Amino acid sequence: MRRKLSLLLLIALISLDRPSVADQTQPASPFVMGYANRLSCEPGEEISFHLSASGPSVDLTIQRLGKESVEVFKKTDIACATHPIPDRASSHGCDWPSAFSITIPKDWETGYYETKMHVKDGDKSASGSLFFVVRSAEPGKNTKILLQLSTNTYNAYTNWGGHSLYSYHDRDGVQGHRVSFNRPVSSQFAKWELPFVKWAEQNGYQIDYAVNSDLEFHPEILQQYKLVLSVGHDEYWSSPMRDHLEQYIRDGGNVAFFSGNTCCWQVRSEDDGRALTCHKQGYNTDPIYRQGDHGLLSTAWSHHLVERPENELTGVGFLWGGYHRSHGQFMDGPASFEVHRPDHWLFENSQLKRGDRFGGKDTIVGYECDGCEMEWKDGLPFPTHRDGTPKTFTILGSCPARWAPGDSLWYDRFPKDRVGAAVLGVYTNGGTVVTAGTTDWAHGLSGNDPAVIQITRNVLDRLGSK
């Protein structure tokens, strides 16, 4: 019996040095990776960095990204260790301990902050990064324009630790339906919002910053702004986010969607905003599917069971849009908007005339596009309003777009070969809402397209001025 107990004890001791069978394999050394415990915070609040590294210490720098990159903090030799990557890291997070915390200084500007980590492991080294946003300590004091970043989309596309909300780039081809922010998340800020931010800050526009979930958990800040911006690829929205922004519009607030594929999928926030659930085209696997009330079903907002097409918020939607110069659709297309109503204030001082096209040099119509059902009369397009597009919506520009094969499986009542359009337009419902109907509008700003610049100025100056 004693020999048996000794053998069991030896086996137990050996197993302590082995990773749990549920843990995932660590990356090859050297490595450093991490996440912050907050997506956004105000000056005076504390933020913690949860890191895992192959070496015993990490050097860390923080810089604000805007019209230029400005280093605001540096610290060396932060004690660190290698921590397990749980089997369900992508859906339920890593639960790593905090390696370092900082109270955001009072003089840090609102903006997007990138934390860069550097580790040495023997004679080799490696780097990693994470991000967070600093909100204004006094919302609306220095500007009446708020940019909310598409952080839900960043998370949805990140497959670190197992799965994303997509199957085509996951480790085993399985599409996840829950993603956690408590893991290294791949930021898409540099691809989508940064070109807009650089142009705006270089041209004297001051902007306050927030993240998607601030619309859900800090909706009180909206009251301090005249204009809220969505830029790039703002695809995943929760019902509270949408409720609060729609109320803001009804109360007279303005919104500009310089974005596409906007508010396409409904998500539900969990773990106090540290995770998202979205069953997408597998809506019948969502636990609430069989509960009868489908208003919060985590599928396409335009799905007939949800009955809340994104057009009601943005004026347009992916259901009547699709792809342009992407996914094999219109790969030789003009990538530009045709002007339909040049006398509208949106085109003021642009020198554009009816039938002109703009933005093609910089492919401002590209990747994913939103549109509305429309009919043509005397050579001009008019919304039918059958798709939820507001009665006051005016179509100002358009460019052909189309779904990719297979997209019709997401919407079980629509044909797969329908040609839609990216639609540039505007409506009023208390406040004014402008939509660009394309993810790639900011390409025209970074490319110095005069029409794109003038239209953007018209929107910011008219709808966001003090």
Side-chain angles (χ1 to χ4, degrees):
M1 176 65 71
R2 183 176 298 176
R3 290 181 61 188
K4 185 176 182 179
L5 288 174
S6 298
L7 181 59
L8 290 173
L9 178 60
L10 178 61
I11 292 172
L13 289 172
I14 292 174
S15 67
L16 289 176
D17 293 327
R18 295 179 177 175
S20 165
V21 293
D23 292 341
Q24 299 184 45
T25 303
Q26 295 286 347
S29 296
F31 66 83
V32 59
M33 49 197 176
Y35 57 92
N37 70 328
R38 294 172 179 261
L39 289 174
S40 74
C41 53
E42 295 180 359
E45 294 183 331
E46 184 179 78
I47 188 168
S48 297
F49 305 122
H50 301 250
L51 310 179
S52 179
S54 57
S57 66
V58 172
D59 297 338
L60 180 149
T61 60
I62 302 175
Q63 57 184 354
R64 182 188 183 276
L65 304 187
K67 63 181 178 182
E68 56 188 1
S69 297
V70 178
E71 185 177 301
V72 296
F73 181 83
K74 184 175 183 179
K75 186 174 178 60
T76 60
D77 296 324
I78 298 171
C80 199
T82 301
H83 300 295
I85 304 174
D87 182 59
R88 302 174 73 192
S90 59
S91 60
H92 289 77
C94 294
D95 197 27
W96 294 340
S98 172
F100 177 72
S101 298
I102 183 175
T103 299
I104 303 299
K106 296 289 186 180
D107 61 349
W108 281 19
E109 291 183 66
T110 178
Y112 177 96
Y113 286 77
E114 182 179 62
T115 300
K116 291 188 174 181
M117 300 90 70
H118 185 79
V119 65
K120 287 187 176 180
D121 189 356
D123 60 350
K124 297 181 179 180
S125 63
S127 298
S129 66
L130 58 85
F131 73 92
F132 62 93
V133 167
V134 174
R135 304 194 307 273
S136 173
E138 299 179 272
K141 179 181 179 181
N142 298 316
T143 179
K144 293 301 178 183
I145 302 175
L146 176 70
L147 169 61
Q148 54 92 35
L149 305 182
S150 307
T151 45
N152 285 352
T153 302
Y154 305 172
N155 197 1
Y157 279 83
T158 298
N159 64 356
W160 189 97
H163 308 294
S164 68
L165 296 184
Y166 297 82
S167 61
Y168 61 85
H169 59 19
D170 275 0
R171 63 181 182 185
D172 51 12
V174 174
Q175 180 170 308
H177 60 77
R178 191 181 198 268
V179 287
S180 174
F181 283 103
N182 291 330
R183 60 173 179 147
V185 170
S186 299
S187 174
Q188 297 185 15
F189 175 78
K191 180 177 182 179
W192 298 118
E193 292 99 343
L194 184 56
F196 184 96
V197 167
K198 279 188 173 182
W199 174 86
E201 293 189 353
Q202 287 170 355
N203 286 274
Y205 290 99
Q206 191 163 356
I207 295 174
D208 282 354
Y209 296 77
V211 299
N212 277 158
S213 56
D214 287 325
L215 296 187
E216 177 169 352
F217 297 101
H218 297 285
E220 69 282 354
I221 68 175
L222 292 174
Q223 301 171 13
Q224 309 305 320
Y225 298 100
K226 292 189 66 175
L227 175 63
V228 175
L229 301 176
S230 163
V231 174
H233 196 186
D234 203 358
E235 187 174 355
Y236 292 84
W237 283 58
S238 69
S239 182
M241 282 175 59
R242 184 169 172 178
D243 291 344
H244 294 147
L245 194 65
E246 287 181 341
Q247 185 60 55
Y248 165 81
I249 295 167
R250 288 192 292 269
D251 291 340
N254 305 312
V255 180
F257 293 101
F258 293 115
S259 56
N261 197 213
T262 307
C263 196
C264 179
W265 300 104
Q266 177 168 209
V267 300
R268 294 195 300 274
S269 295
E270 298 181 353
D271 296 346
D272 297 322
R274 296 300 297 176
L276 302 173
T277 289
C278 190
H279 288 253
K280 299 182 77 172
Q281 60 268 43
Y283 60 90
N284 57 343
T285 65
D286 190 329
I288 72 171
Y289 174 70
R290 289 170 176 78
Q291 296 175 7
D293 183 3
H294 293 144
L296 297 179
L297 199 64
S298 61
T299 187
W301 279 104
S302 53
H303 196 282
H304 68 275
L305 292 177
V306 178
E307 294 186 329
R308 198 178 176 186
E310 61 266 38
N311 302 57
E312 295 176 358
L313 168 64
T314 66
V316 293
F318 193 72
L319 210 146
W320 288 93
Y323 303 100
H324 190 94
R325 290 212 185 171
S326 179
H327 294 69
Q329 308 307 307
F330 295 103
M331 299 306 292
D332 58 351
S336 59
F337 280 110
E338 179 184 353
V339 176
H340 299 306
R341 293 174 171 88
D343 294 335
H344 193 275
W345 64 260
L346 198 79
F347 296 124
E348 191 173 49
N349 298 321
S350 69
Q351 313 305 317
L352 291 169
K353 303 182 295 296
R354 181 174 168 179
D356 285 350
R357 305 198 75 96
F358 69 93
K361 174 179 69 71
D362 300 302
T363 317
I364 67 165
V365 179
Y367 189 46
E368 295 185 323
C369 308
D370 294 331
C372 62
E373 184 183 27
M374 55 189 178
E375 54 191 1
W376 293 78
K377 302 175 184 178
D378 299 324
L380 287 174
F382 294 84
T384 68
H385 309 294
R386 291 191 293 260
D387 54 0
T389 298
K391 295 295 183 182
T392 59
F393 189 79
T394 300
I395 299 173
L396 302 176
S398 66
C399 183
R402 183 170 47 214
W403 290 353
D407 284 0
S408 58
L409 298 177
W410 302 351
Y411 307 95
D412 53 9
R413 293 187 175 186
F414 295 93
K416 64 182 180 180
D417 56 352
R418 181 179 60 198
V419 175
V423 168
L424 172 68
V426 61
Y427 77 88
T428 56
N429 180 24
T432 297
V433 177
V434 174
T435 183
T438 170
T439 55
D440 293 356
W441 178 268
H443 288 185
L445 298 176
S446 56
N448 293 313
D449 182 282
V452 174
I453 289 173
Q454 186 60 56
I455 292 168
T456 306
R457 284 188 179 276
N458 290 344
V459 172
L460 300 185
D461 294 345
R462 183 185 182 99
L463 303 183
S465 63
K466 291 187 176 184

